[in-house]
Amino acid sequence: MQIGDAERPLRVAIIGSGPSGFYAAEHLQQSGLAVEIDMYDRLPTPFGLVRGGVAPDHDKIKSVTRIYDKIADRDSFRFFGNVEFGRDVDHDDLRDLYHAVIYATGSRKSRRLGIAGEDLVGSHPAPAFVGWYNGHPDFVRWSFDLSCERAIIVGVGNVAMDVARILAQSPEALATTDIAEHALDALRASTIRHVLVIGRRGPAQSAFTPKELKELGALEGVDIVVDPAELLLDPASAAEVETSDRARKNLELLTAYGARPRSGAERVIEFRFLRSPVEIVGNGSVTGVRLERNELVTSGDGSLRTKATGETEIIDCGLVLRAVGYLGAALPGVPFEARAGVIPNVAGRIVDRGEQVTGEYVAGWIKRGPTGIIGTNKPDAAETVESLIADARAGKVWEPTAATRPEAEARLWHNRPAHTTYADWQLLDEMEKRRGEAVGAPRRKFTRVSDMLDALAEAKEGASRPAR
C-alpha cells in the first residue's frame, strides 16, 4: 500500500495561510494522490499578506481569495487558525501526525538601514505602517504621528508606492475602502502635505512597477514632482533601459511627471534619486534625514553600484518610513539563513548544512526571499510540492504515529487552545462585510484577535439560542 492511496492518504501540514500556502494545497489536490491537508495560521483569519499587506485601495487584487475559497472547500482541506507553530503546535507534533510539512510563513520582519537615528521616535519600518492601516493584529497598537508637514519614504519599491499613495490620498476616497478605522481616523487628522520618496540608485533601477507608479498620477489633489535633471542617465543605465521593459516604462512615466506643470495641489509626492540616508536626525524624535548624493559606477563584475560623493544635505521631516524590504523570521527547530532571511532549500526541500531534512519543505517568500507578485507563488509552490510528491513516492518522508485523521485531531487538540476553522473565517468574513455596508465600504475588519474570537462566540451563541 503506497502513500497517497485511498487507504493511506498523504497527510501534509502547511504552516502559513498566505498565497504560497494555498497554492501548495491546490497543487497537492491536483496531484492525483489521495491527500489530507491541514493548514495552520497563528491568526484566526487566513490569506496572509493578501489580507494584511495589499493596499486597501487595491480591492481587485484581493479577489484572488475566491480561488482560495475553492481550495478550502475540498474535503481534503482543513484550516486551523489561532494556532502558532512553536507555541501551540511543535516540531514533534508534526512528525507524529503527518508525512510532511510545508513551511509557508512568508517574511514578517523588516530590513533595517543600519544608520544612526534609525530608532528615533517617528522612524518606522514601512511594513509596520502597512500592517497598521490594513488592520493587522500585530500592528493595531502601533502609533504613527501624522501631525508633521513632510514625511520621507526611504525606498523605491511597490511598498513605498503604496505608502506614498495612502499618505497623500484623500481620506474621503479611502473611506470607501477596507482601510482600518483607526488608520482612517488618523489620516483624516493628518497634516502631511509633502511626501518625499528617496532612492539610493537612479530611476532606471527603481523596483516599483509601472502600474504602481502610474496610479500616483491619477490621485486627485496631488502633484507628482520629479526634477528632470535627475532623470538623465549614465551610459550603463541607458543600456539597462533598452533591455528592460519595466525600466523603460518607469522612465517614461517619470519623465512625463517631470514635464507636468505644478497645479498648486494641496499635497505633493516628490521623487529624489541617487540619494542615500546616512543619518536620521533628531533629539529623541525625528526632525530630519541627512542624505548623501550618490553616483553610479560599474563594478568589476559589470553590475552598477552606488558610490558616495561626500555631498550631503539635511531634509526636515517629522516622519520616516523605511521601505527597504521584508525579512523572514526563524522558526523553532527549522534551519535558517539569517542574513538572507530564508529557510535553506533546494527546489523546496529544506537542507541543513547541505543535507536534505526528511519530511520538511518550504514555499513562498520564506523559501526564495520577498520577491515577485502574488502569482509568482504559484509556480514556486508547485516546484515544492513536486519535490514532496517525489519523496513520498520514494518513501523519503515521515511515518506518522497517529493512524487516522480523527486520531490525529484528537491528539493535537487535547489540552490545546481553541482554534478557528474555515467556517469560522467565513462567518467573520460575512460580519466584516455587513460592518462595511453600514459605512459604504466593502468591509470593516476586526483588528484584534480577542475581538474576532468574541464576535465568533457571540454569533454562535445567537445561532444556537432557540427562537422565541
Side-chain angles (χ1 to χ4, degrees), residues 208-388:
F208 45 67
T209 61
K211 179 179 180 295
E212 290 269 355
L213 180 60
K214 188 176 182 179
E215 283 184 299
L216 297 184
L219 295 176
E220 293 187 8
V222 179
D223 275 339
I224 311 300
V225 175
V226 186
D227 183 351
E230 296 207 352
L231 303 180
L232 299 176
L233 302 181
D234 60 275
S237 293
E240 188 174 326
V241 169
E242 290 296 320
T243 59
S244 169
D245 190 51
R246 181 176 71 175
R248 178 181 57 80
K249 290 180 178 178
N250 279 342
L251 189 63
E252 289 173 354
L253 286 165
L254 288 167
T255 301
Y257 291 149
R260 278 186 186 180
R262 295 279 291 269
S263 70
E266 183 182 14
R267 295 180 176 87
V268 170
I269 298 174
E270 180 180 0
F271 287 86
R272 294 266 189 98
F273 296 102
L274 292 172
R275 306 288 201 291
S276 287
V278 292
E279 179 188 7
I280 298 176
V281 180
N283 183 15
S285 60
V286 171
T287 59
V289 177
R290 186 185 304 276
L291 300 175
E292 183 168 27
R293 183 181 288 274
N294 299 323
E295 61 182 7
L296 291 175
V297 297
T298 303
S299 64
D301 61 6
S303 63
L304 281 175
R305 303 288 178 88
T306 57
K307 179 183 177 181
T309 66
E311 178 186 341
T312 66
E313 62 177 329
I314 294 177
I315 305 294
D316 293 340
C317 69
L319 176 68
V320 176
L321 295 171
R322 311 183 306 267
V324 291
Y326 289 82
L327 196 66
L331 299 173
V334 182
F336 189 66
E337 292 180 356
R339 185 171 183 179
V342 298
I343 295 173
N345 70 94
V346 176
R349 294 180 174 96
I350 295 178
V351 295
D352 186 12
R353 292 183 287 274
E355 296 294 325
Q356 181 182 344
V357 179
T358 300
E360 300 190 50
Y361 303 83
V362 63
W365 278 6
I366 195 67
K367 170 186 174 183
R368 68 181 189 275
T371 61
I373 59 176
I374 290 173
T376 309
N377 292 291
K378 192 163 188 176
D380 175 287
E383 177 188 59
T384 295
V385 171
E386 288 301 314
S387 295
L388 190 162

Side-chain angles (χ1 to χ4, degrees), residues 57-75:
D57 56 350
H58 281 177
D59 196 51
K60 187 176 180 180
I61 295 175
K62 300 178 187 183
S63 65
V64 71
T65 59
R66 296 172 190 165
I67 296 172
Y68 306 156
D69 285 336
K70 293 178 181 178
I71 296 168
D73 195 45
R74 302 280 292 271
D75 290 339

Side-chain angles (χ1 to χ4, degrees), residues 42-46 51 82 134-138 420 424-425 427-428 431-432 445-460:
R42 64 190 183 88
L43 296 178
T45 55
R51 177 175 168 89
N82 199 35
N134 273 319
H136 192 294
D138 286 355
T420 57
D424 290 332
W425 153 243
L427 183 55
L428 276 174
M431 286 190 280
E432 287 185 344
K445 295 176 183 175
F446 293 101
T447 59
R448 288 177 168 80
V449 169
S450 58
D451 290 344
M452 297 176 194
L453 299 180
D454 288 347
L456 282 172
E458 184 176 343
K460 290 177 181 179

Side-chain angles (χ1 to χ4, degrees), residues 386-405:
E386 288 301 314
S387 295
L388 190 162
I389 290 172
D391 291 346
R393 286 175 171 153
K396 297 179 180 178
V397 290
W398 294 331
E399 186 56 52
T401 58
T404 66
R405 200 178 201 188

Side-chain angles (χ1 to χ4, degrees), residues 408-452:
E409 183 172 6
R411 288 172 56 175
L412 184 59
W413 300 117
H414 179 65
N415 292 330
R416 301 289 174 124
H419 63 274
T420 57
T421 65
Y422 208 80
D424 290 332
W425 153 243
Q426 290 172 321
L427 183 55
L428 276 174
D429 184 36
E430 287 302 316
M431 286 190 280
E432 287 185 344
K433 288 176 179 177
R434 288 197 297 269
R435 282 156 49 102
E437 286 176 5
V439 293
R443 74 171 65 237
R444 277 292 176 261
K445 295 176 183 175
F446 293 101
T447 59
R448 288 177 168 80
V449 169
S450 58
D451 290 344
M452 297 176 194

